[in-house]
Amino acid sequence: MARKKQEAKALREKKEIEEAIAKQKKRQAAKAAANLQHQIALKAKKLYSEALWHYRKKEYLTAQRKLQEIDAFSPGYSRSEYYLAKIPGLIEAKAFAKKEQEAKEKEAILKTQVADSYRVAISLYKLKKYQKAYAKFQDIQKLNPDYRETRYYLNKIPEIIKRKERAGKLRYEKDRQRAVDEMLNSWE
């Protein structure tokens, strides 16, 4: 009988130990779960803070990536869904604004090139280098058909070249006639 009491006592002690161990494991699991939740919350808070920082700097792709990372392990964190919904439209608007800016810069460069070419063409015209001036005015016409007085010069220069050619032919004829007259006079 004493043996049965001892066995019963040993079983109770064993059962109490097992219950204590089970309670301890439960407490450790709860503590580990709480610690994991705390780590997740800290990581989400850090990523959210970084995402908002990038969002405010208009670095939308980086902000979007960080918000998606948060959404993967902590769905619905703070206002991440709001920002995730808003960002694609902002990215599109930023791309459109960038294209507009590039177009304006390209237009400004073109205007500068045309203005520089026009100054060169006018200088060539004033130096009476009509063929080169005409070529420059043609280049300007290709870049900007309505630029200043380009059409005027494109119409005027061929007329000047024709007059010069006619004047040159007349001068040649006069010089030739004078030479012939001098030869005839020298034989007399």
Side-chain angles (χ1 to χ4, degrees):
M1 215 156 81
R3 196 170 180 186
K4 281 188 177 184
K5 281 185 182 182
Q6 277 183 335
E7 285 178 10
K9 186 178 179 184
L11 281 173
R12 274 194 314 267
E13 286 176 358
K14 185 179 175 186
K15 193 176 180 183
E16 286 174 2
I17 290 172
E18 287 174 353
E19 286 175 2
I21 290 172
K23 284 181 182 177
Q24 182 65 25
K25 284 182 180 179
K26 216 178 197 183
R27 279 193 298 266
Q28 285 176 345
K31 191 175 181 181
N35 189 28
L36 181 61
Q37 287 296 329
H38 179 68
Q39 292 300 320
I40 288 172
L42 287 176
K43 185 176 178 181
K45 184 177 181 180
K46 180 180 181 236
L47 284 171
Y48 188 75
S49 175
E50 290 172 3
L52 289 183
W53 184 79
H54 287 288
Y55 181 87
R56 288 183 188 115
K57 288 187 70 179
K58 297 183 180 178
E59 297 171 356
Y60 299 120
L61 289 173
T62 306
Q64 184 179 40
R65 195 172 50 251
K66 292 200 180 279
L67 290 167
Q68 287 169 339
E69 191 177 337
I70 293 168
D71 206 39
F73 66 85
S74 184
Y77 183 82
S78 194
R79 294 187 65 197
S80 61
E81 290 176 351
Y82 165 78
Y83 289 108
L84 280 171
K86 193 172 181 180
I87 286 175
L90 294 171
I91 290 172
E92 191 176 310
K94 187 176 179 181
F96 181 75
K98 184 178 179 182
K99 284 181 183 177
E100 277 189 335
Q101 182 62 30
E102 288 171 353
K104 286 179 182 177
E105 289 171 1
K106 195 174 182 179
E107 186 179 330
I109 290 169
L110 181 64
K111 282 183 180 180
T112 302
Q113 287 175 339
V114 169
D116 291 346
S117 291
Y118 185 80
R119 281 191 289 277
V120 169
I122 292 294
S123 295
L124 290 168
Y125 179 83
K126 288 179 180 178
L127 292 171
K128 298 183 181 181
K129 295 186 178 187
Y130 299 113
Q131 295 290 352
K132 289 181 180 180
Y134 188 78
K136 270 292 181 195
F137 282 119
Q138 284 180 320
D139 292 343
I140 295 166
Q141 185 75 14
K142 288 175 189 170
L143 294 173
N144 186 347
D146 297 323
Y147 192 76
R148 290 191 173 183
E149 298 163 348
T150 304
R151 283 191 189 144
Y152 167 78
Y153 286 105
L154 286 173
N155 291 330
K156 185 175 180 177
I157 290 174
E159 293 172 9
I160 293 171
I161 292 172
K162 284 179 187 174
R163 270 188 297 188
K164 281 185 74 175
E165 287 174 355
R166 274 186 262 138
K169 285 179 185 176
L170 287 174
R171 204 174 314 118
Y172 173 77
E173 288 298 321
K174 282 182 182 177
D175 289 346
R176 191 169 146 246
Q177 188 61 45
R178 194 175 319 133
V180 169
D181 290 345
E182 284 178 8
M183 270 175 44
L184 290 175
N185 287 339
S186 69
W187 284 344
E188 289 179 359

